[in-house]
Amino acid sequence: MSEKFNDIPMAGNILEPGNATKYKTGGWRAMRPVHNDETCLWMKNGTCGLCWIFCPDDAIRLIEKDGKYTYEYDYDYCKGCGICANQCPTSSIKMESE
Amino acid sequence: MTAVEKIPADKIKIEGLTGDAAIAHAFKQCDIDVMAAYPITPQTIIVEDFQKFAANGEVQTKVITVESEHSAMSACIGASATGARVATATASAGLALMWEVLYCAASMRMPIVLTVANRALSAPINIHNDWSDSYGARDSGFIQLYCQNSQEAYDTTIMAFKLAEDHRVLLPVMVCIDGFILSHNVERVEMLPDEAVKSFLGVREPVQPLDPDNPLTMGPLALTDYYFEFKEQQDRAIHAVPDVFKEVEEAFKKMTGRSYGMVEDYKTEDADIILLTHSTPAGTAKVVADTLREQGEKVGVLRLKMFRPFPVKEVVEKIKHAKAVAVFEKCLSFGAVCNPLALELRSALYDLDERPMVTDFVIGLGGRDVPPTTIVDGYNKTKEYLAKGKAPLYETLGVRK
């Protein structure tokens, strides 16, 4: 991200579609979500999923691995907005300082 | 570019046309793809005439009727982004309503041709001519060309597309004519054959058009990281205009024998006092210069055709030997040191060791008549100030005070 004025496309045009994945927003984060596995409904019985629904950056993925419910955070895109923690009905997500 | 040849006289059609009608005919011959416009006096005839061409099937243009000038310019940008040749026209309050989108057109590098029939801005509401509207838009990034007569309005409109669409430029052009004085005044216009205009302009070759098969994003967000770099690009582009303009005029001259230049000098070579103005007052100034010359006064006229980019080199070259330059302009820049044209000129002269005195006269606001006596008045005042060695920053002429 340090091209000179004559190295960049004309008029701010973005010539390559779908390049938003390269725009990593994780660097903005001051607070990081941390999961409590024991009270998480998804981990318990594969229900709820509100954090996954509400995450504006698709940075929480609720997945099944080896027949067990689990999850992962994509910290490249998690801005630490805290919406997941706010929505969690069992308060299983806590925001911690980076 | 195809070779341009001189058009034989028997192929040229001569008609009596108003400035507006001349421009409508030029648009027709330029074979524009899209015209989106909203009617406003004194520009209306351009779009009215053009819509007649469209209704009669004389042009293939898609005419988009919109609900405001803001939408007109927006539609033009959208069409231009796909690679179409696009034109629109407006004046005064309409141009003011386009304001936000003017910057988009220029910054997105859309070669749109916009005719402005210069008209005063409110209040009080006034439909007549002065330059407050287009002078206000001088920093929008548009190229600005001012025409003195219907023939020039016709010629300039054709050249404007070639200039705008050149890949070294890719900027929108404002072709300005004086409202009513030129827009509604019937004059003799020599019109080129359709084929000649077609081969002169060719088909627009867009650089980065919108195309579903090769998607791209136009006009996205650029903040502190890149905005400044894009503005640098845009600034370089507008400074490329004079060279391209000379080439375009050269080609046009081969075809028609007519050319105008970024500035037109009239009897300036040995002149002590040069009258600087543009558009229709320049015609009056030339007549005044002729009469004063008969009385032994050393006076000349410099008519500016291009206001943006300001042709500093050419202007300075033509006036640096004079003792004084009297600027006549139809715009007030409230609270400024002086008014737009004189501001520009004074800045251009700043680096000279010996510079002519500059006097600034505001004339003809809101369509107030500019008779030869007003120009003579300005000339006499300049002579008087020259003798005193001191002039006011600006003054108004032709107002009851």
Side-chain angles (χ1 to χ4, degrees):
Chain A
M1 292 284 277
S2 60
E3 295 96 317
K4 290 178 184 169
F5 77 93
N6 48 0
D7 294 332
I8 50 180
M10 185 184 68
N13 292 350
I14 297 171
L15 307 179
E16 183 194 344
N19 69 352
T21 52
K22 287 187 195 160
Y23 195 48
K24 299 199 169 30
T25 46
W28 301 6
R29 195 172 53 245
M31 303 288 278
R32 152 195 300 261
V34 178
H35 231 82
N36 177 1
D37 293 354
E38 283 168 22
T39 52
C40 171
L41 294 173
W42 173 259
M43 293 291 283
K44 257 187 188 166
N45 53 20
T47 59
C48 183
L50 283 181
C51 55
W52 173 78
I53 293 168
F54 279 93
C55 177
D57 291 299
D58 194 18
I60 304 173
R61 310 223 174 87
L62 299 182
I63 46 179
E64 282 181 64
K65 213 174 182 178
D66 307 327
K68 283 176 75 180
Y69 294 111
T70 182
Y71 62 86
E72 59 186 30
Y73 287 112
D74 190 339
Y75 286 113
D76 279 345
Y77 299 104
C78 171
K79 297 194 202 77
C81 67
I83 291 175
C84 54
N86 203 29
Q87 290 296 334
C88 180
T90 57
S91 302
S92 301
I93 303 173
K94 292 269 177 306
M95 299 303 289
E96 283 182 8
S97 192
E98 269 291 319
Chain B
M1 198 174 82
T2 46
V4 184
E5 284 169 21
K6 177 101 176 83
I7 307 297
D10 61 334
K11 290 268 177 69
I12 286 170
K13 200 164 95 181
I14 296 167
E15 273 195 46
L17 294 176
T18 62
D20 275 358
I23 287 170
H25 277 85
F27 280 162
K28 176 184 160 192
Q29 293 186 316
C30 293
D31 194 22
I32 57 176
D33 300 303
V34 175
M35 145 91 69
Y38 191 81
I40 183 167
T41 300
Q43 159 277 119
T44 323
I45 311 169
I46 300 176
V47 183
E48 266 179 12
D49 279 8
F50 194 81
Q51 293 227 27
K52 272 183 218 156
F53 299 143
N56 293 339
E58 292 175 61
V59 290
Q60 301 298 313
T61 310
K62 171 75 182 167
V63 179
I64 307 175
T65 47
V66 283
E67 95 300 347
S68 76
E69 285 86 353
H70 190 278
S71 306
M73 185 45 80
S74 302
C76 285
I77 292 175
S80 189
T82 65
R85 179 169 289 158
V86 183
T88 183
T90 193
S92 182
L95 186 67
L97 189 50
M98 279 184 184
W99 220 260
E100 176 194 3
V101 206
L102 291 177
Y103 283 75
C104 299
S107 304
M108 289 172 73
R109 311 286 298 276
M110 299 299 169
I112 298 161
V113 172
L114 165 65
T115 305
V116 175
N118 284 124
R119 167 186 151 182
L121 281 162
S122 302
I125 199 162
N126 180 304
I127 58 167
H128 291 283
N129 164 248
D130 68 36
W131 307 330
S132 312
D133 51 358
S134 60
Y135 269 11
R138 67 191 186 276
D139 293 338
S140 63
F142 270 64
I143 297 163
Q144 290 195 333
L145 305 172
Y146 291 82
C147 306
Q148 194 197 306
N149 54 42
S150 294
Q151 180 71 62
E152 190 179 346
Y154 171 84
D155 295 346
T156 306
T157 303
I158 295 171
M159 285 190 276
F161 285 102
K162 199 160 182 67
L163 176 64
E165 291 169 8
D166 191 287
H167 287 189
R168 287 165 286 175
V169 176
L170 285 174
L171 286 170
V173 184
M174 215 176 267
V175 178
C176 303
I177 57 170
D178 278 351
F180 290 109
I181 302 170
L182 182 50
S183 70
H184 284 57
N185 189 24
V186 178
E187 288 182 325
R188 176 187 190 276
V189 177
E190 292 184 11
M191 290 199 296
L192 295 165
D194 293 353
E195 282 308 311
V197 178
K198 204 174 165 184
S199 70
F200 176 71
L201 286 183
V203 177
R204 182 187 161 194
E205 287 173 25
V207 176
Q208 286 169 359
L210 279 183
D211 169 13
D213 294 331
N214 297 295
L216 60 85
T217 302
M218 283 184 177
L221 185 76
L223 302 178
T224 47
D225 53 354
Y226 274 113
Y227 182 83
F228 208 169
E229 276 70 28
F230 288 120
K231 293 294 123 177
E232 177 79 25
Q233 273 186 352
Q234 198 181 337
D235 188 51
R236 304 267 174 142
I238 199 157
H239 285 294
V241 169
D243 287 342
V244 181
F245 183 80
K246 279 177 205 157
E247 285 175 28
V248 172
E249 274 220 316
E250 197 54 46
F252 193 78
K253 193 179 177 182
K254 269 187 198 147
M255 191 163 72
T256 62
R258 293 188 295 272
S259 74
Y260 304 92
M262 287 176 278
V263 291
E264 177 197 349
D265 54 325
Y266 185 76
K267 303 187 176 177
T268 56
E269 269 166 33
D270 61 335
D272 286 339
I273 295 180
I274 293 174
L275 315 175
L276 178 88
T277 186
H278 61 66
S279 298
T280 53
T284 314
K286 286 178 205 166
V287 174
V288 168
D290 284 344
T291 313
L292 290 174
R293 282 261 171 192
E294 280 168 24
Q295 296 167 10
E297 304 281 340
K298 282 182 155 183
V299 56
V301 178
L302 191 72
R303 177 173 74 96
L304 197 67
K305 181 184 172 71
M306 184 187 280
F307 185 63
R308 277 290 179 273
F310 193 80
V312 184
K313 225 171 59 193
E314 287 76 5
V315 170
V316 170
E317 194 54 42
K318 301 282 185 200
I319 62 170
K320 64 181 179 191
H321 65 277
K323 287 180 184 153
V325 181
V327 177
F328 294 89
E329 55 185 323
K330 291 189 172 194
C331 179
L332 263 175
S333 180
F334 301 107
V337 179
C338 54
N339 301 291
L341 190 51
L343 265 178
E344 212 81 34
L345 182 70
R346 285 197 168 118
S347 300
L349 293 172
Y350 184 79
D351 281 337
L352 296 184
D353 292 331
E354 274 190 42
R355 40 185 178 258
M357 173 187 269
V358 176
T359 53
D360 182 18
F361 301 104
V362 176
I363 53 166
L365 292 189
R368 172 65 48 86
D369 202 14
V370 181
T373 48
T374 302
I375 309 281
V376 174
D377 203 11
Y379 174 77
N380 288 336
K381 279 182 182 242
T382 305
K383 241 174 115 177
E384 193 186 304
Y385 298 144
L386 203 53
K388 267 198 279 181
K390 199 172 181 321
L393 285 169
Y394 73 90
E395 59 193 303
T396 50
L397 288 184
V399 60
R400 295 184 294 276
K401 51 189 171 187

